[in-house]
Amino acid sequence: MLAAVRAERNCIDGVNVTLSWPTSKLDADGSSSSPMIKGVAFLLPGAMTSISEYDGLRDIILSRQHLVVSLFMNVLWPPCDNHRKHARDVERVFDGLKSTYGNLLSDIDAYAVVGHSVGAKVALLVASVVDPTRVKAVLALDPVDINPVEFSKMRGMNLPLNDNDDGDELFSDDDGDVVRVKNKSPRQEASANQIRGENDEKPQHHGSIPIVMTCTDGGPGISKAHDAEAIHALHPLTTCHRHLGAGHMAYCDHGGGWAGKLLMRGVGTEDGNSKARGAAHDLIRNVLG
């Protein structure tokens, strides 16, 4: 017997978040015990989009017994280094969660990130250069790699996405900082192999994180030169699923709110958008196990 989902707004290490807890079992007397948590997943929305637009995605994550951590993607502040700031917030919040809810998260040392649009770009940054040793999987729904371009430059250095097959390698980002992408722990590598459908007898990509992306028909202002397919072309160890007939806001429950209705009206067919949402739900189930 399951109790109702509990959601709460909180401030973790200076970052405002919404925590949605998986259902907990009811004791014999009808009282609720501690929630059964198998993992932590961050859910990062599109730019200036309410997290309530992603209740459908949230509920699928909750069904996998993961604590869902949602952050608002304010692309107007800070005006500089915006995406990196949000990516660092993810890392900071996970550390804060471990400190605050240590009794519930003591066995959890890695987390998944599900993001849409700008949130998907931030998810890629977390896995690439901010916290690569603790990210266990990424689902980037129709990422938009702009302001700045970091993964889909046709010329020049791109940030890494599973580009190191032979262990630790060094990369330089736009700021000239040298970034080391480290090998994953045996526990994380085993999880990565399971998600990829690999067994112990198959060769492993050292330091790899399962990174799954989707690509829709886009919408105004979304360049094909910097969408998921463009990212995948330069980072072939990622996985990319094409959702035909779907608009950029297909993964939202109600069209993306005012921003979606203002900027993306009429993009994608009703059937295409519906199929894309269903496919995203299936990808979450696969990624989280």
Side-chain angles (χ1 to χ4, degrees):
M1 191 174 180
L2 298 176
V5 173
R6 177 168 62 90
E8 63 181 71
R9 293 184 179 180
N10 207 331
C11 184
I12 304 294
D13 201 9
V15 181
N16 292 323
V17 300
T18 297
L19 304 178
S20 298
W21 297 88
T23 54
S24 54
K25 287 187 175 181
L26 292 181
D27 297 331
D29 61 0
S31 62
S32 178
S33 59
S34 297
M36 299 176 60
I37 300 175
K38 295 182 178 179
V40 172
F42 285 81
L43 180 57
L44 309 180
M48 314 302 288
T49 304
S50 171
I51 60 173
S52 64
E53 281 288 322
Y54 300 89
D55 284 351
L57 299 180
R58 177 206 64 188
D59 290 347
I60 299 299
I61 298 173
L62 287 172
S63 73
R64 314 315 287 177
Q65 293 302 124
H66 278 58
L67 168 63
V68 183
V69 188
S70 302
L71 286 68
F72 182 68
M73 292 289 105
N74 185 348
V75 297
L76 302 180
W77 188 262
C80 299
D81 201 28
N82 184 279
H83 299 165
R84 299 291 185 95
K85 185 267 182 186
H86 291 308
R88 290 191 292 267
D89 281 349
V90 170
E91 179 186 32
R92 182 180 303 114
V93 168
F94 185 70
D95 287 333
L97 288 171
K98 291 281 290 181
S99 176
T100 304
Y101 301 100
N103 59 322
L104 296 175
L105 306 177
S106 59
D107 294 331
I108 298 173
D109 56 13
Y111 55 91
V113 190
V114 178
H116 171 231
S117 189
V118 169
K121 161 75 176 296
V122 171
L124 296 177
L125 283 172
V126 177
S128 174
V129 294
V130 171
D131 201 12
T133 62
R134 295 194 298 179
V135 174
K136 66 178 184 179
V138 169
L139 175 56
L141 301 170
D142 217 17
V144 181
D145 183 30
I146 57 174
N147 300 326
V149 176
E150 299 184 270
F151 298 103
S152 56
K153 299 175 187 174
M154 294 306 296
R155 296 180 180 179
M157 179 73 71
N158 284 294
L159 294 180
L161 284 174
N162 284 353
D163 299 328
N164 55 321
D165 291 345
D166 301 316
D168 292 5
E169 291 190 15
L170 297 177
F171 297 84
S172 295
D173 65 12
D174 285 342
D175 299 322
D177 297 327
V178 175
V179 179
R180 180 179 292 276
V181 179
K182 299 179 180 179
N183 287 335
K184 298 173 75 65
S185 68
R187 178 176 176 178
Q188 289 173 305
E189 186 60 46
S191 174
N193 291 339
Q194 182 180 15
I195 292 170
R196 288 192 298 264
E198 298 178 358
N199 57 45
D200 293 338
E201 297 177 355
K202 294 185 179 180
Q204 301 176 1
H205 294 296
H206 296 290
S208 64
I209 299 168
I211 296 176
V212 180
M213 299 183 292
T214 68
C215 187
T216 70
D217 293 346
I222 299 177
S223 170
K224 295 297 295 179
H226 304 297
D227 65 5
E229 290 185 329
I231 296 171
H232 175 65
L234 296 172
H235 306 277
L237 292 183
T238 61
T239 302
C240 186
H241 298 264
R242 184 73 166 89
H243 290 163
L244 295 171
H248 185 61
M249 291 298 184
Y251 309 106
C252 297
D253 292 344
H254 309 290
W258 67 266
K261 293 175 182 178
L262 179 66
L263 301 175
M264 301 288 175
R265 178 183 291 274
V267 180
T269 67
E270 182 177 354
D271 182 60
N273 290 337
S274 177
K275 287 181 177 178
R277 276 194 301 277
H281 294 175
D282 289 338
L283 288 172
I284 289 173
R285 295 184 183 100
N286 183 51
V287 166
L288 297 184

